[in-house]
């Protein structure tokens, strides 16, 4: 079984955890490290002969178009991570719409290919922002990977399906949804899809839980990482809370060797590839999100 390997291409100063400490207007003042860090991931993926999906932030694509072309040229799938990394449920729907359309077009112009996939900043498609799915459909996206069916302070949609499915919104509009991976641990759903969880949990635990998740859903899991997570020397953000520092800085040094081990322990491919395989097997169910909205 080939699982989905994904990278959210953004820089260390753009993460939601540091949003209270860094103004969007100040982003250009922070030294960019996303190029070298993404290239380090590209090198590892080439060594391991694996392809993945890179969800690229429009803000980064605008400043580093050559990097995005390099990723595409290496045979990876390019998808969108939005434009400015604002939480969807904190944005006005019309601003979200403008940014979503603009980021898709920007990336498509850079790589000369259609962009089909979308991932929201910090998985912020939640019960408060289900309207975003309709916007994604209208903007021409074919799949989304923004829903985390767990409890978390910043994101999460407990009750949403765990498997890849067709998400149905109002007016029978549809988009494929690849929810972020969680697994049952002592009676509750534990997020195990990557990022901070991958750095904080011991590696043997992640491996065990990812195996468990794939058995539970009888489908490939989806794994994510950020370029800044393999960069122990990144500048530290002054004034960040203890929780944010813990989530962002724990085990940065261990991340690259762990990732290398993960790529040895599991087989990976792009999101589009996994969706195509599941669709061909006829295993995709449909979930009507208007029923979830109605229950809230
Ligand atoms: Zn992000």
């Amino acid at each position: 079984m080939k699982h989905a390997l994904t990278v959210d291409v953004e820089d260390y100063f753009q993460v939601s955890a540091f949003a209270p400490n860094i103004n969007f207007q100040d982003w250009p003042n922070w030294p960019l490290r996303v190029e070298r860090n993404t290239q380090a991931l590209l090198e590892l993926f080439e060594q391991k002969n694996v392809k993945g999906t890179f969800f690229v932030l429009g803000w980064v694509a605008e400043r580093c178009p050559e990097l995005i072309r390099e990723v595409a040229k290496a045979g990876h799938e390019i998808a969108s991570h939005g434009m400015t990394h604002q939480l969807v449920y904190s944005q006005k729907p019309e601003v979200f719409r403008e940014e979503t359309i603009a980021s898709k077009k920007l990336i498509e112009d850079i790589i000369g290919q259609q962009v089909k996939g979308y991932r929201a900043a910090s998985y912020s498609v939640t019960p408060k922002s289900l309207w975003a799915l309709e916007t994604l459909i209208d903007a021409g996206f074919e799949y989304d990977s923004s829903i985390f069916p767990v409890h978390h302070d910043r994101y999460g949609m407990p009750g949403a399906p765990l498997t890849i499915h067709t998400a149905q919104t109002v007016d029978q509009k549809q988009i494929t949804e690849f929810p972020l991976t969680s697994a049952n641990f002592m009676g509750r759903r534990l997020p195990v899809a990557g990022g901070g969880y991958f750095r904080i949990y011991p590696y043997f635990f992640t491996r065990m839980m990812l195996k468990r998740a794939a058995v539970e859903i009888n489908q490939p899991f989806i794994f994510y990482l950020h370029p800044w997570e393999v960069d122990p020397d990144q500048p530290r953000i002054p004034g960040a809370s203890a929780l944010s520092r813990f989530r962002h800085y724990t085990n940065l040094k261990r991340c690259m060797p762990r990732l290398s081990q993960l790529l040895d322990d599991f087989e990976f491919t792009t999101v589009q590839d996994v969706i195509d395989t599941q669709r061909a097997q006829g295993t995709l169910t449909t979930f009507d999100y208007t029923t979830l909205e109605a229950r809230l």
Side-chain angles (χ1 to χ4, degrees):
M1 190 185 277
K2 283 191 176 183
H3 307 280
L5 176 64
T6 71
V7 178
D8 295 352
V9 182
E10 67 197 32
D11 223 331
Y12 61 97
F13 52 85
Q14 301 176 315
V15 301
S16 304
F18 295 149
N21 313 97
I22 297 180
N23 281 329
F24 172 68
Q25 288 75 14
D26 291 335
W27 283 6
N29 300 329
W30 290 88
L32 273 186
R33 296 176 70 90
V34 66
E35 285 178 284
R36 77 184 86 176
N37 294 332
T38 305
Q39 272 153 357
L41 291 173
L42 285 179
E43 269 169 43
L44 177 70
F45 293 177
E46 196 188 337
Q47 262 175 40
K48 304 288 182 183
N49 194 25
V50 64
K51 304 290 183 229
T53 298
F54 288 66
F55 291 92
V56 177
L57 192 66
W59 193 95
V60 171
E62 208 165 21
R63 282 152 186 86
C64 315
E66 212 37 64
L67 175 71
I68 310 311
R69 275 190 282 269
E70 192 184 334
V71 177
K73 225 174 271 170
H76 302 288
E77 180 189 7
I78 305 287
S80 168
H81 194 33
M83 188 62 100
T84 57
H85 214 267
Q86 305 302 301
L87 300 170
V88 176
Y89 52 74
S90 311
Q91 276 193 309
K92 288 204 173 84
E94 54 277 21
V95 175
F96 176 74
R97 176 179 294 267
E98 268 168 40
E99 287 200 351
T100 302
I101 293 169
S103 72
K104 186 172 189 286
K105 180 165 188 320
L106 172 74
I107 298 167
E108 287 176 342
D109 287 347
I110 290 171
I111 59 170
Q113 283 175 48
Q114 199 195 336
V115 165
K116 296 179 178 173
Y118 179 85
R119 173 170 289 156
S122 296
Y123 312 105
S124 54
V125 176
T126 71
K128 285 185 279 181
S129 49
L130 278 171
W131 46 264
L133 292 176
E134 285 147 48
T135 309
L136 295 176
I137 297 166
D138 292 344
F141 286 99
E142 293 182 10
Y143 75 82
D144 171 61
S145 181
S146 305
I147 294 180
F148 222 139
V150 296
H151 288 278
H152 185 275
D153 55 357
R154 195 177 295 121
Y155 49 76
M157 201 188 291
L162 308 177
T163 55
I164 306 167
H165 60 278
T166 303
Q168 190 162 299
T169 68
V170 285
D171 303 331
Q172 312 286 307
K173 287 185 189 172
Q174 295 187 333
I175 186 167
T176 304
E177 176 65 38
F178 199 150
L180 279 300
T181 301
S182 59
N184 182 27
F185 184 66
M186 310 211 316
R188 59 179 290 246
R189 295 225 66 81
L190 199 69
V192 291
Y197 307 109
F198 181 63
R199 285 180 291 109
I200 292 164
Y201 303 151
Y203 178 69
F204 78 88
F205 183 74
T206 293
R207 182 170 54 193
M208 178 185 86
M209 294 301 277
L210 286 173
K211 281 184 184 165
R212 181 179 295 180
V215 170
E216 279 176 2
I217 58 176
N218 194 25
Q219 267 184 9
F221 60 75
I222 190 164
F223 181 82
Y224 73 89
L225 211 66
H226 304 91
W228 54 262
E229 293 187 278
V230 295
D231 181 10
D233 302 324
Q234 63 189 272
R236 296 306 191 253
I237 308 296
S241 72
L243 178 63
S244 291
R245 276 184 281 128
F246 174 70
R247 282 176 174 168
H248 191 94
Y249 297 126
T250 300
N251 285 338
L252 291 175
K253 265 191 196 143
R254 289 194 172 147
C255 195
M256 200 53 140
R258 269 188 193 177
L259 179 61
S260 175
Q261 185 63 49
L262 183 86
L263 298 182
D264 289 339
D265 289 342
F266 297 94
E267 275 194 273
F268 287 99
T269 183
T270 64
V271 174
Q272 187 66 60
D273 201 17
V274 172
I275 290 174
D276 287 345
T277 305
Q278 293 303 308
R279 199 172 279 293
Q281 290 173 2
T283 57
L284 260 59
T285 53
T286 300
F287 183 76
D288 185 350
Y289 278 82
T290 58
T291 64
L292 190 81
E293 235 166 356
R295 273 192 276 134
L296 299 165

